[in-house]
Amino acid sequence: MSISNFPNGFANGLTLRGVPVESTNPGKSFFVNNSSVLAEGGIGGSDSNKGTYQQPFKTIDYAIGKCTAARGDVIYVMPGHVETCSTAAAGTATVDLDVDGVTIIGLGRGAAQPRFDMTATAGIVTVTADNCAIVNMNFHANVPSVVIGLSVIAGATDLLVKNCSFDVETTTTDEFLISVNIGVCCTYTT
């Protein structure tokens, strides 16, 4: 077991579940959860909570608004969380990753993988900031003809999308017309 002298760092390194952590998060960490499965001793997700593991925010978009640009903030999305992406106002996104350097990490696999649930054709997740990452999230078309699932807006650079899935409701004719749209000058998108 690793001994910690946090907040002054980890003199002997840090190991989580037997795996050494090579670089720790330089920014703040926020948690999001609107599922019925709560952390031990935790409460349900609310955007008036502190955004901690036991007091998570309810929405990813709210958590993004709590981040500081270029600090390296991370938003952990708990297993079973479903972010509803419904009709947005013209020219806006349901969820907009608009703060530089933010990473969104979904926790959970299979049916527990957190997801963006497109419940309207205009439901969309956009990336307008640089140096961001979206990891292990499910983009799910829940209606026919979702126009775009994930849109990287022109000029947003250095985006990493890793271990994400794009799927549809299989019992109907739901679909993405475009799963991922990458605008011009979006260099170093991976």
Side-chain angles (χ1 to χ4, degrees):
M1 178 157 76
S2 180
I3 298 174
S4 162
N5 59 357
F6 182 82
N8 297 316
F10 300 93
N12 299 316
L14 176 65
T15 302
L16 295 175
R17 295 184 179 178
V19 178
V21 177
E22 298 300 326
S23 62
T24 57
N25 172 28
K28 285 192 173 184
S29 296
F30 299 103
F31 289 84
V32 175
N33 186 12
N34 67 7
S35 80
S36 60
V37 179
L38 305 177
E40 186 175 332
I43 61 174
S46 170
D47 288 342
S48 61
N49 285 349
K50 296 178 182 178
T52 63
Y53 178 69
Q54 291 186 317
Q55 296 182 27
F57 294 136
K58 186 174 183 176
T59 64
I60 295 169
D61 202 52
Y62 184 82
I64 292 168
K66 290 299 195 180
C67 294
T68 298
R71 181 169 61 188
D73 292 346
V74 176
I75 298 168
Y76 293 99
V77 186
M78 300 302 286
H81 175 85
V82 176
E83 189 86 5
T84 301
C85 299
S86 58
T87 303
T92 64
T94 307
V95 175
D96 186 8
L97 187 47
D98 59 354
V99 179
D100 287 0
V102 172
T103 297
I104 297 171
I105 299 175
L107 305 173
R109 305 262 320 137
Q113 183 182 35
R115 74 182 190 184
F116 295 107
D117 197 23
M118 311 305 177
T119 61
T121 59
I124 187 172
V125 175
T126 61
V127 178
T128 58
D130 298 334
N131 310 310
C132 293
I134 302 172
V135 179
N136 195 45
M137 293 294 295
N138 171 256
F139 292 76
H140 181 78
N142 208 359
V143 294
S145 303
V146 174
V147 179
I148 300 173
L150 173 63
S151 183
V152 186
I153 303 302
T157 64
D158 299 286
L159 172 67
L160 171 67
V161 179
K162 182 177 180 182
N163 295 336
C164 291
S165 57
F166 292 79
D167 68 7
V168 298
E169 201 63 40
T170 58
T171 57
T172 59
T173 58
D174 300 340
E175 65 182 348
F176 287 107
L177 298 179
I178 300 172
S179 295
V180 180
N181 184 63
I182 301 174
V184 297
C185 299
C186 294
T187 56
Y188 306 111
T189 298
T190 305

